[in-house]
Amino acid sequence: MDYAGVDGRRTDGSAAGEDGDVVEPLSAFSDRAVASDPELYEAFAEEGPAAWRRAADLLDWETDYETVLDDGDPPFYEWFPDGRLNAAANCVDRHLDERRNQLAIRWFGKRGERRSYTYLDLHREVNAVAAGLRDLGVEEDDVVTLYLPMIPELPIAMLACARIGAPHNVVFAGLSAEALATRIDAADSSYLVTCDGYYRREDAFNQKSKADNARLRADADLSATVVVDRLGDTLDAPLGDDEHEYEAIVDAHDGETVEPVARDATDLLFVMYTSGTTGRPKGVEHATGGYLSHVAWTTRNVLDVRPDDTYWCAADIGWITGHSYGVYGPLSVGTTTLLYEGSPDYPDRDRVWDLIERNAVSVFYTSPTAIRSFMKWGAEYPEAHDLSSIRLLGTVGESITPKAWRWYREHVGGGEAPIVDTWWQTETGAISLATLPGITPMKPGKVGPPLPGIDARVVDEDGEPVDPGEPGYLAIAAPWPGMLRGLREGDERYRREYWVEGEDGWRYRTGDGATVDEDGYVTILGRVDDVINVRTHRFNTAELESAIVGAEGVTEAAVVGDGDGKIVAYVTTRGDVDPDESLREAIGGRLARAVGDVARADRIVFTPDLPKTRSGKIMRRLLEDIARGDEFGDVSALRNPEVVGEIESAVREM
Ligand code: WTA
């Protein structure tokens, strides 16, 4: 088995999962936890798919479902197939009776601006935008691309789309024009919502020019573009004939109501492009009913969120975490969600703690990458603030070391708050492995057992469960409600990319390597395919490498993560080319154009050759070990063992 680069070692010297401590939930928490009945695990095991009624029944259905799961044509599973509902009605309208004046969104902008929306405000603006989109010609099932930073208009546009049954296709604002064009074409989208620009630290970035560029590159003809005025007078973006000001649309349709369109539970709610095992991003499709049920259930039972919380998921809405736990999860359960546009260290390194204190945030959900930065900056920043409002902490996106786990609990959670280490993916739609914080003991550095109702297993190549402690592949052996309903690229690609038919049925491949302990707690080792997770973004190595190889004079490239949130690119050049600063810049420029600034290579290492096996395969694992400064094993089986020393010294000199 090839576990290239998935040995679970971490840069702080400790390994994920190593430690052995068991931390019991405190009764102060458990006594009031949303999920408090240990029988829940058994109930799900006994009832099978029907147990997921608990999740679906958290929602309002326009037409009640009778069937929970149609598994007649695996792996094309349909959840709640005869039910009908509207996601926006579930996230907005149904809260109006009980909490119309409660805040739904509290927004903090980069320049210190604030804006708050009650559920009533949200209802008003979502309706106006929905009416405006319809007026522009958007019909049910038309895909609308949203290319916006972390401003309230993004969740509002998502909900407006959902209201009229138009699936959204959110593209992370930091991606390049080329990446946007690819996603507009691949999603077959004729409508775009973007903005004039946005701030990064002090600087204003021109988003509109990226969008314009994408339009020129895209094959598709956009029928209409809506432009949010984020920068005011700072940047005047002249609008063309088929371009419309967001603010003008809201004014023109203010006060109108648009009847939420009842969607089949299996109808598309959104598409989200993500990196897979091949160079082209895949369009992951999520269905309305199963997705929203799973997201609402986990927001309640894993993140323990209730309506009277102020909840903050720090992830960007441009990625799946922001979709599920920044927008649909919190709003479907009727809580107050905090939306933050800025950076965690601006104006100072206590910005996050200051926001938590001032807003009495009770549940905070972030990534190990962020926690690592907080640790580096020092405990004095959180300690300068009263964080006693925190009741629960969450983490997602990569493994957290026991050391970081303890730091997070001690300095942010007051030594008491439970931490839920949540494992899931763009494709799973919602949290799939995690402890139930009021019930399940925690093991620092280990994700935990699968949630009730999720049949996740660590298996070998043949699908047989591996022994405790042995590395294997994380697989899911039965469908779950939040699962992708398919890929934009078609059924065949969906089946091939994710599913294996074994003797005892179909099994979903997660692409992750893992181990499991005697108690069923899973430790994630990392990806076993060509995907790297850095800075909470997911990239396909081939996508980055082909961008680099496009630079004049470059012959080969290999990209790895350094385990500390950075991208390291190893690059070989033609003999007559001098690998200098200008080549570095050219490579940086190619990456920024092809993918976006988020894909910047933090280190570019020029090397005469890349280490390869005799069959010519690049030894990524070795390159990753070198990038991390880790020990690596015997290299004598390589075709070119002599390059290893050269690469190592090149890395050390940087
Ligand atoms: C990784 C993000 C370890 C994993 C929600 C997965 C994790 C990929 C964890 C999905 C965790 C996510 N511990 N690794 N708690 N959560 N991952 O699609 O490799 O952006 O396959 O979804 O992130 O990344 P994606």
Side-chain angles (χ1 to χ4, degrees):
M1 218 180 288
D2 182 15
Y3 287 102
V6 291
D7 53 9
R9 266 174 283 151
R10 295 290 169 262
T11 41
D12 67 359
S14 64
E18 222 173 59
D19 192 315
D21 270 15
V22 176
V23 183
E24 295 287 339
L26 299 176
S27 62
F29 180 87
S30 317
D31 291 350
R32 299 184 47 237
V34 172
S36 56
D37 182 4
E39 313 254 299
L40 209 51
Y41 285 97
E42 250 157 67
F44 269 82
E46 272 164 25
E47 294 167 31
W52 283 109
R53 284 182 185 279
R54 288 174 182 75
D57 294 348
L58 293 172
L59 305 179
D60 275 1
W61 293 78
E62 190 59 39
T63 308
D64 278 337
Y65 62 91
E66 278 176 23
T67 310
V68 172
L69 169 68
D70 178 349
D71 57 1
D73 180 25
F76 304 96
Y77 301 101
E78 297 190 337
W79 285 89
F80 316 112
D82 47 11
R84 291 169 77 76
L85 77 168
N86 182 282
N90 270 285
C91 290
V92 186
D93 303 46
R94 69 169 173 146
H95 303 308
L96 292 183
D97 280 349
E98 270 185 55
R99 42 184 150 302
R100 61 175 48 218
N101 296 319
Q102 180 195 305
L103 291 186
I105 298 176
R106 265 173 190 265
W107 175 73
F108 295 86
K110 247 174 213 173
R111 316 221 101 188
E113 313 96 313
R114 298 169 188 204
R115 243 191 279 158
S116 295
Y117 293 78
T118 61
Y119 274 96
L120 188 63
D121 298 334
L122 191 60
H123 185 259
R124 196 175 180 112
E125 192 157 325
V126 166
N127 270 285
V129 177
L133 288 174
R134 261 213 186 137
D135 217 27
L136 293 175
V138 180
E139 291 178 9
E140 191 176 352
D141 291 320
D142 285 346
V143 177
V144 180
T145 300
L146 308 178
Y147 187 48
L148 289 167
M150 289 284 275
I151 53 178
E153 288 80 359
L154 176 52
I156 288 168
M158 289 164 74
L159 293 166
C161 288
R163 192 168 192 90
I164 57 175
H168 52 73
N169 169 35
V170 177
V171 177
F172 176 63
L175 292 189
S176 66
E178 198 170 311
L180 173 63
T182 312
R183 285 157 177 77
I184 288 174
D185 282 340
D188 201 6
S189 173
S190 309
Y191 298 91
L192 174 68
V193 182
T194 184
C195 62
D196 51 354
Y198 62 97
Y199 296 104
R200 233 189 267 164
R201 298 196 180 256
E202 297 280 278
D203 305 322
F205 272 76
N206 193 329
Q207 186 78 342
K208 180 65 173 28
S209 74
K210 279 202 287 177
D212 290 344
N213 240 319
R215 271 186 87 154
L216 294 175
R217 286 161 183 270
D219 297 330
D221 270 331
L222 290 178
S223 315
T225 301
V226 176
V227 185
V228 176
D229 180 10
R230 167 69 187 100
L231 298 181
D233 296 335
T234 313
L235 206 145
D236 271 330
L239 298 185
D241 285 346
D242 47 7
E243 297 183 329
H244 310 265
E245 274 178 34
Y246 176 95
E247 294 73 16
I249 288 177
V250 171
D251 285 346
H253 296 276
D254 189 37
E256 288 177 29
T257 41
V258 174
E259 207 40 48
V261 173
R263 299 278 281 166
D264 285 352
T266 53
D267 279 343
L268 187 60
L269 177 60
F270 65 85
V271 50
M272 159 118 263
Y273 279 85
T274 188
S275 296
T277 46
T278 54
R280 288 182 69 78
K282 295 176 294 192
V284 169
E285 294 185 340
H286 279 291
T288 310
Y291 170 81
L292 200 62
S293 301
H294 193 167
V295 163
W297 193 82
T298 45
T299 303
R300 299 271 301 145
N301 289 274
V302 179
L303 299 172
D304 200 59
V305 172
R306 314 130 204 260
D308 60 0
D309 278 315
T310 296
Y311 159 85
W312 183 8
C313 166
D316 195 288
I317 295 174
W319 307 104
I320 193 70
T321 307
H323 275 51
S324 299
Y325 297 105
V327 180
Y328 285 112
L331 297 179
S332 66
V333 308
T335 195
T336 303
T337 181
L338 195 146
L339 194 64
Y340 178 50
E341 189 194 23
S343 359
D345 59 349
Y346 186 82
D348 202 350
R349 290 175 164 180
D350 71 341
R351 179 67 172 146
V352 168
W353 320 123
D354 183 48
L355 283 169
I356 291 179
E357 179 175 11
R358 278 197 283 133
N359 296 285
V361 170
S362 39
V363 176
F364 180 58
Y365 191 26
T366 190
S367 65
T369 306
I371 297 167
R372 271 198 304 270
S373 301
F374 299 148
M375 284 172 77
K376 248 177 251 164
W377 298 338
E380 61 268 31
Y381 294 102
E383 264 155 25
H385 292 273
D386 176 4
L387 304 182
S388 58
S389 56
I390 295 269
R391 185 175 79 251
L392 175 131
L393 297 170
T395 154
V396 59
E398 49 184 314
S399 296
I400 182 165
T401 59
K403 190 172 157 190
W405 194 100
R406 288 184 196 290
W407 189 95
Y408 193 29
R409 187 166 207 238
E410 187 60 37
H411 299 291
V412 185
E416 293 194 349
I419 294 180
V420 283
D421 180 353
T422 64
W423 179 94
W424 58 292
Q425 309 179 298
T426 304
E427 293 86 345
T428 72
I431 298 170
S432 310
L433 274 69
T435 52
L436 291 174
I439 301 174
T440 330
M442 299 163 277
K443 296 191 184 185
K446 296 189 178 188
V447 170
L451 288 184
I454 305 283
D455 191 356
R457 306 170 179 183
V458 182
V459 299
D460 65 17
E461 210 94 39
D462 303 320
E464 291 300 319
V466 297
D467 288 335
E470 290 299 315
Y473 300 101
L474 183 66
I476 308 180
W480 65 97
M483 64 188 292
L484 72 168
R485 68 158 212 191
L487 284 181
R488 204 73 190 152
E489 291 69 27
D491 289 353
E492 190 35 46
R493 175 91 191 270
Y494 163 72
R495 191 203 317 253
R496 195 163 19 106
E497 189 92 28
Y498 297 109
W499 295 90
V500 193
E501 191 179 8
E503 270 165 25
D504 51 355
W506 290 77
R507 138 176 125 247
Y508 168 85
R509 286 189 305 201
T510 66
D512 278 4
T515 60
V516 60
D517 72 10
E518 281 83 3
D519 303 323
Y521 280 62
V522 172
T523 299
I524 304 295
L525 302 175
R527 302 286 306 194
V528 291
D529 54 15
D530 294 332
V531 174
I532 54 173
N533 300 321
V534 264
R535 295 187 284 268
T536 69
H537 306 314
R538 191 166 133 180
F539 301 104
N540 174 275
T541 49
E543 197 179 352
L544 304 186
E545 287 158 8
S546 71
I548 297 176
V549 171
E552 174 59 26
V554 171
T555 47
E556 258 191 323
V559 169
V560 300
D562 75 344
D564 201 17
K566 299 205 168 63
I567 297 179
V568 181
Y570 297 90
V571 176
T572 64
T573 54
R574 253 190 356 241
D576 61 334
V577 173
D578 186 20
D580 55 6
E581 245 354 89
S582 70
L583 183 56
R584 254 178 234 284
E585 270 167 33
I587 291 171
R590 307 248 352 154
L591 282 170
R593 259 197 310 284
V595 186
D597 286 340
V598 282
R600 71 182 176 277
D602 300 277
R603 282 191 282 165
I604 297 173
V605 182
F606 291 111
T607 157
D609 204 357
L610 294 172
K612 293 194 183 131
T613 60
R614 291 197 195 280
S615 61
K617 195 170 169 250
I618 296 172
M619 287 287 290
R620 267 172 215 296
R621 182 211 176 107
L622 177 65
L623 291 171
E624 193 169 274
D625 282 343
I626 297 174
R628 292 174 170 209
D630 284 349
E631 292 290 314
F632 48 86
D634 185 14
V635 298
S636 59
L638 292 181
R639 186 164 73 185
N640 51 355
E642 68 286 352
V643 301
V644 177
E646 282 187 54
I647 295 175
E648 223 196 339
S649 47
V651 170
R652 235 184 286 122
E653 275 162 25
M654 297 194 78

